[in-house]
Amino acid sequence: MVDMRRQWGHLHEMYATRADSMYSLRPLPRWIRDPDSNFSAVWDLTSVVLLLYVSITVPLRAGFEIDIDLWSAEFFVDLFVDCYFIADLAMNFRTAHYDKHGMREERPSRIATYYLKGWFSIDFFSCLPLGYIGYFMDEDESSSNLRAIKAFRLIRLSKMLRLARIKRILSKYGNNVNLQSYINIGFTVFIILFLAHILSCFFY
């Protein structure tokens, strides 16, 4: 013990210099996004706002059969939302994550494998631009075309799969003691209002 103390120094001093994990101090490779950066926090907050927009507009338009005119302001808003989530899908292939041991994974191949085995399929199907096909269909009075238009209106409901991202964002920030109570309350209120909204739209 005396030899160990002579070589390593005082035990408290040794651990005091390692209060933070050395993995969090190592710089990330180029073009790899840090999940704990300010940019990631702003990106996640923007995702929550856009997901609230999706949760309101998609059931409303499907339940009340509201069509958005091509090249209108609402069309460009929806186009921006779709492009944002497509960009988010691409960025997830270059975003570091923490494994089950709490170690940060920053190798691009491992990041891509982790994402492909996880949330990729849900994100991919929710980003398919199937709803835009209806803009290029002739709206004549034939029953086949009317059925096809109604089918494409229902296909737009696939965007609701994006709401699964809320679970990822909550799991990411749910361990924060300062935010945990606010997150739980906000999520409960969101679930109640969302269920009331979607049931009202489909009841009509």
Side-chain angles (χ1 to χ4, degrees):
M1 294 294 294
V2 173
D3 292 338
M4 291 171 61
R5 182 172 180 178
R6 186 183 300 113
Q7 295 175 9
W8 296 350
H10 198 275
L11 191 62
H12 295 288
E13 295 177 357
M14 181 180 69
Y15 283 104
T17 58
R18 291 167 174 80
D20 297 328
S21 172
M22 64 179 179
Y23 294 98
S24 62
L25 300 177
R26 186 170 61 184
L28 286 168
R30 191 178 183 183
W31 305 114
I32 297 296
R33 186 178 66 163
D34 185 0
D36 298 324
S37 64
N38 293 332
F39 173 78
S40 296
V42 173
W43 187 270
D44 292 337
L45 180 60
T46 307
S47 298
V48 171
V49 174
L50 296 182
L51 288 172
L52 292 176
Y53 172 81
V54 170
S55 65
I56 294 173
T57 57
V58 172
L60 186 67
R61 294 172 183 173
F64 289 86
E65 297 184 354
I66 299 175
D67 291 325
I68 302 301
D69 295 332
L70 187 63
W71 313 125
S72 63
E74 293 84 358
F75 172 83
F76 284 106
V77 171
D78 290 345
L79 183 62
F80 168 77
V81 173
D82 293 337
C83 292
Y84 182 92
F85 286 113
I86 292 175
D88 181 73
L89 184 147
M91 289 179 63
N92 284 328
F93 283 99
R94 308 293 294 181
T95 302
H97 65 274
Y98 293 93
D99 59 17
K100 59 182 179 180
H101 302 294
M103 302 179 69
R104 191 176 65 186
E105 181 58 67
E106 54 194 35
R107 290 169 291 185
S109 59
R110 295 292 182 89
I111 295 174
T113 302
Y114 176 81
Y115 183 51
L116 289 172
K117 292 181 178 180
W119 293 94
F120 171 76
S121 57
I122 296 177
D123 292 345
F124 177 76
F125 285 111
S126 67
C127 290
L128 290 177
L130 300 176
Y132 294 96
I133 300 177
Y135 289 110
F136 304 100
M137 298 180 62
D138 296 329
E139 297 188 8
D140 54 20
E141 297 298 328
S142 63
S143 58
S144 60
N145 267 9
L146 290 177
R147 285 196 298 268
I149 292 173
K150 290 182 178 180
F152 278 109
R153 286 173 179 169
L154 294 177
I155 288 176
R156 294 174 186 174
L157 291 175
S158 62
K159 293 182 179 181
M160 300 294 289
L161 293 172
R162 295 173 181 172
L163 298 181
R165 297 169 189 252
I166 294 181
K167 181 179 180 181
R168 275 178 286 177
I169 296 175
L170 291 179
S171 62
K172 179 179 178 180
Y173 297 99
N175 296 327
N176 192 319
V177 178
N178 298 326
L179 298 177
Q180 189 172 13
S181 59
Y182 298 102
I183 289 176
N184 293 335
I185 294 174
F187 183 69
T188 303
V189 173
F190 168 76
I191 289 296
I192 295 173
L193 295 178
F194 174 71
L195 290 177
H197 173 64
I198 196 171
L199 289 175
S200 300
C201 292
F202 289 156
F203 179 78
Y204 175 83

